[in-house]
Amino acid sequence: MKEAGPRRERPRIVVMGGGTGLSVMLRGLKEKPMDITAIVTVADDGGSSGILRSELQMPPPGDIRNVLTALADVEPLLSDMLKYRFNTGAGLAGHSLGNLILAAMTDISGDFVTAVRELSRVFAVRGQVLPAAGQAVVLHAEMEDGSIITGESKIPEAGGRIKRVFLEPDHVEPLPEAVEAIRQADAILIGPGSLYTSILPNLLVPKLAEAVVETDAVKMFICNVMTQPGETDNYTVSDHLKAVHDHIGHQLFDYVIVNNGDIPLQVQNKYAEKGAKPVVLDMNVLKSSGYQVVADTLVLFKTYLRHDADKLSHHIYQLVQNWMLRKR
């Protein structure tokens, strides 16, 4: 009879996505006793990331920089410096200091993955940050009218309804460390973030998706609070999950974590000016599809609506702990 391996006191979790929502969540998760690996999209082609990607032939640094900053154990001033964006200066305007540091380290080390690893060490990052692939990828969208939109930053601007997204090259290789992290994980967290341009690009890397499907880790989807103009207009929670299922061919998730708290009307009106509105929680559809739903008031509003990182990380940690107890 095979002896049980040593019991792990710190759960291993893998978080996949990109954008601001992922960074907000990670700021809460890093305070929990968990070993975190963040797998981050390399499809970004807009703004500072797009310029550096094009001019230096490197993967886009923006989402990676946001995650490094979120997980870094540094003074607030250094965190602010990494996020600082130059407003003036020929060639500097629009670039964030963190992106430029990542570009410099890539040039020094000769390799983007090594640059991320070294900066993680310098900034005392609590966890492991990995690009989904060692090369930049191009994201395409087929719209419902049959047109093809090329470029992550161009897709939300197209104004139509997205039928599917796909990568070029279509058989991009993931980092072996990313695949291994998924295989060793106790929990896989996907979202929050832009559904078609941050979340799905990770799952479209074939071997990453296969690893997520095959692992017996608990899988959670953290749904966005608001719809995103040009991506998820009028989407319900189940519409988000259907898009993942349609792209991957599997119902991935055990749990769906959603906001059911009221959003003040004045805040809704502010977002409505840009075409966004609260994601409708269609609870009956979710439950009839077999998902277990964790619903709570998970939003905070300052300048923008954001997930409540403390509450969200508490729910995630409890779900992971309960899952591990059941497996023992």
Side-chain angles (χ1 to χ4, degrees), residues 243-256:
V244 176
H245 182 280
D246 288 349
H247 280 78
I248 309 306
H250 292 270
Q251 183 165 310
L252 289 182
F253 305 105
D254 304 293
Y255 291 94
V256 182

Side-chain angles (χ1 to χ4, degrees), residues 112-125:
F112 183 67
V113 176
T114 302
V116 173
R117 188 178 297 120
E118 288 302 307
L119 283 178
S120 296
R121 184 176 57 80
V122 169
F123 296 138
V125 165

Side-chain angles (χ1 to χ4, degrees), residues 148-224:
I148 302 294
I149 308 299
T150 296
E152 179 266 350
S153 62
K154 301 290 191 298
I155 292 169
E157 299 172 358
R161 194 168 176 89
I162 298 168
K163 182 178 179 182
R164 68 182 182 107
V165 289
F166 57 99
L167 297 180
E168 181 187 339
D170 57 352
H171 290 296
V172 62
E173 284 290 318
L175 291 186
E177 301 99 307
V179 175
E180 187 59 24
I182 292 170
R183 288 175 177 160
Q184 295 293 326
D186 298 300
I188 309 289
L189 277 57
I190 294 178
S194 301
L195 177 62
Y196 289 101
T197 54
S198 290
I199 292 173
L200 281 168
N202 288 309
L203 292 172
L204 290 174
V205 177
K207 290 179 184 176
L208 286 187
E210 289 169 15
V212 173
V213 170
E214 290 170 3
T215 181
D216 64 352
V218 60
K219 298 166 191 136
M220 307 177 206
F221 182 78
I222 296 90
C223 192
N224 290 346

Side-chain angles (χ1 to χ4, degrees), residues 42-65:
V42 286
D44 190 8
D45 65 356
S48 170
S49 283
I51 293 168
L52 293 171
R53 167 183 172 147
S54 175
E55 293 187 356
L56 301 181
Q57 300 301 301
M58 63 178 285
D63 283 335
I64 292 279
R65 180 254 307 164

Side-chain angles (χ1 to χ4, degrees), residues 222-244:
I222 296 90
C223 192
N224 290 346
V225 175
M226 305 294 288
T227 62
Q228 292 189 273
E231 283 203 45
T232 55
D233 298 286
N234 300 313
Y235 270 37
T236 64
V237 176
S238 68
D239 288 331
H240 286 75
L241 293 160
K242 182 178 184 300
V244 176

Side-chain angles (χ1 to χ4, degrees), residues 48 65 82-86 94-101:
S48 170
R65 180 254 307 164
L82 292 172
K83 292 182 286 187
Y84 176 76
R85 196 171 294 276
F86 294 92
H95 284 297
S96 77
L97 181 59
N99 285 2
L100 295 176
I101 291 172

